[in-house]
Amino acid sequence: MTIWVNEQIDPSGMIHACIACCDEAQAQDCHESYQQNLTDFQKQAGWIARLRTVDSWDEVPVNSLKLD
């Protein structure tokens, strides 16, 4: 099973927002939203929006919103 994990990460590596789901199209939409919601100031400071895949729900950060 592929699980798509969207994260907004600050310059220190701390995850501030995380949504995980099994639907690739939904994950891509979420990723675009995460990128668009980063302000220019955040981008200049080093914030990133990251989309990655994992193989198990055990690999998803604990604080994430998990969607089936």
Side-chain angles (χ1 to χ4, degrees), residues 4-39:
W4 300 83
V5 180
N6 278 287
E7 301 164 321
Q8 271 189 345
I9 304 169
D10 75 11
S12 71
M14 180 180 233
I15 298 171
H16 286 260
C18 184
I19 296 176
C21 65
C22 295
D23 183 289
E24 182 178 0
Q26 186 178 27
Q28 291 291 345
D29 289 344
C30 181
H31 181 65
E32 288 175 26
S33 176
Y34 270 21
Q35 286 182 314
Q36 292 171 359
N37 288 330
L38 287 175
T39 66

Side-chain angles (χ1 to χ4, degrees), residues 41-57:
F41 179 78
Q42 286 174 313
K43 291 175 187 175
Q44 290 173 357
W47 284 65
I48 61 167
R50 177 173 66 184
L51 176 60
R52 62 187 179 96
T53 60
V54 296
D55 296 323
S56 163
W57 286 106

